[in-house]
Amino acid sequence: MYLARYRELIIDAYDVDRMSRFWARALGLQDSPPDERGGVALRGHDREDLVWIQPLVAPRQERRRIHLDVYAQNVVDLLDAGADLVDQNSFPWDLLTDPEDREVGVFVLEHDRPKRMYQLVIDSPHPEANAAWWGKVLGAPVHPVPEDPTIAFVEPVPHAPFESILFAQEQSPKTCANGIAIGVEVLDPDILTLIGASVVDQPDHRLWMVLADPDGNEFYAYPRAGETW
């Protein structure tokens, strides 16, 4: 059972065209013409292969808490697409930044994969508790790591194009919007606020609203009142 169903990933961008070209190449997706708000949808063969690149006007302030890890055959293609190399020696993965300085973890494989998203990484002051909350919301198994309480993850995530959401210890206070957010469909957003979510923005059109999880990470909720899964 789940309280909400994964729908899409939303990435904020100052330069939507540049970022949509980069992420389309990084994730093996196809971009589309901008919508009326200037956003670009990246799509793949399956319904869950949906990433929105949406325009951002607010100035960036601090390091954001969420980033995406991806699979790739090499990092050269990503560098050619506009990424910058940060570190190839300190971790089992290569650390890059996208064209707007957002971290990207790259796991290099000898063969290509049909799904290039690997995992979503969320820095959290309470990794196990945050993992447990999202596991309950998405109906995903929660995996604490007894030998390392600084991390926890949920896997698999139903209806998502990535394998897992990893929660990693971060004690620094959150000071700005993350710039990457999950979009979920929910029968009634009040269900999520009752278990600890808070309302960040509720537009008049009520087609969607922005909530935050108990650690303050923003996500989009699309109400499906009156329907069933």
Side-chain angles (χ1 to χ4, degrees):
M1 292 292 295
Y2 45 85
L3 302 178
R5 183 167 64 185
Y6 177 89
R7 168 175 166 149
E8 63 196 16
L9 192 67
I10 301 106
I11 301 177
D12 293 339
Y14 294 111
D15 188 333
V16 171
D17 181 63
R18 187 182 184 197
M19 285 285 280
S20 62
R21 284 186 282 109
F22 171 80
W23 281 107
R25 187 165 175 179
L27 300 176
L29 304 178
Q30 297 293 320
D31 59 3
S32 57
D35 65 7
E36 65 278 3
R37 296 181 297 113
V40 171
L42 310 180
R43 303 180 188 273
H45 296 294
D46 300 324
R47 177 184 179 276
E48 65 266 22
D49 297 329
L50 176 59
V51 177
W52 277 99
I53 310 296
Q54 69 175 11
L56 176 69
V57 295
R60 179 174 180 177
Q61 301 171 6
E62 302 281 345
R63 174 179 176 271
R64 289 147 174 172
R65 282 185 173 182
I66 298 181
H67 75 268
L68 191 61
D69 286 345
V70 302
Y71 291 117
Q73 288 184 281
N74 59 71
V75 299
V76 175
D77 286 344
L78 299 181
L79 297 177
D80 288 344
D84 288 319
L85 180 62
V86 177
D87 191 341
Q88 281 188 303
N89 301 310
S90 301
F91 313 103
W93 59 87
D94 295 332
L95 181 60
L96 280 65
T97 54
D98 73 9
E100 295 191 358
D101 296 324
R102 184 176 288 112
E103 292 183 1
V104 184
V106 181
F107 291 76
V108 177
L109 303 178
E110 293 182 357
H111 57 280
D112 198 9
R113 293 173 58 96
K115 303 288 186 182
R116 297 187 189 173
M117 285 195 205
Y118 170 32
Q119 63 184 3
L120 199 64
V121 181
I122 301 180
D123 295 337
S124 170
H126 314 101
E128 289 192 19
N130 209 7
W133 192 85
W134 277 104
K136 181 176 182 179
V137 169
L138 298 173
V142 181
H143 304 275
V145 182
E147 64 273 19
D148 187 357
T150 65
I151 60 174
F153 63 99
V154 295
E155 180 184 332
V157 180
H159 308 288
F162 44 79
E163 298 175 20
S164 61
I165 305 176
L166 173 68
F167 298 84
Q169 186 79 60
E170 173 59 73
Q171 294 295 350
S172 300
K174 186 174 184 292
T175 58
C176 66
N178 287 321
I180 294 181
I182 293 173
V184 300
E185 295 177 336
V186 58
L187 296 180
D188 185 353
D190 288 344
I191 296 173
L192 302 184
T193 58
L194 286 173
I195 64 169
S198 56
V199 178
V200 176
D201 186 21
Q202 188 168 358
D204 292 337
H205 56 62
R206 298 186 179 277
L207 298 176
W208 47 260
M209 59 193 302
V210 183
L211 303 178
D213 70 14
D215 276 353
N217 298 301
E218 303 86 3
F219 64 97
Y220 287 73
Y222 297 85
R224 290 176 47 136
E227 298 184 33
T228 61
W229 300 120

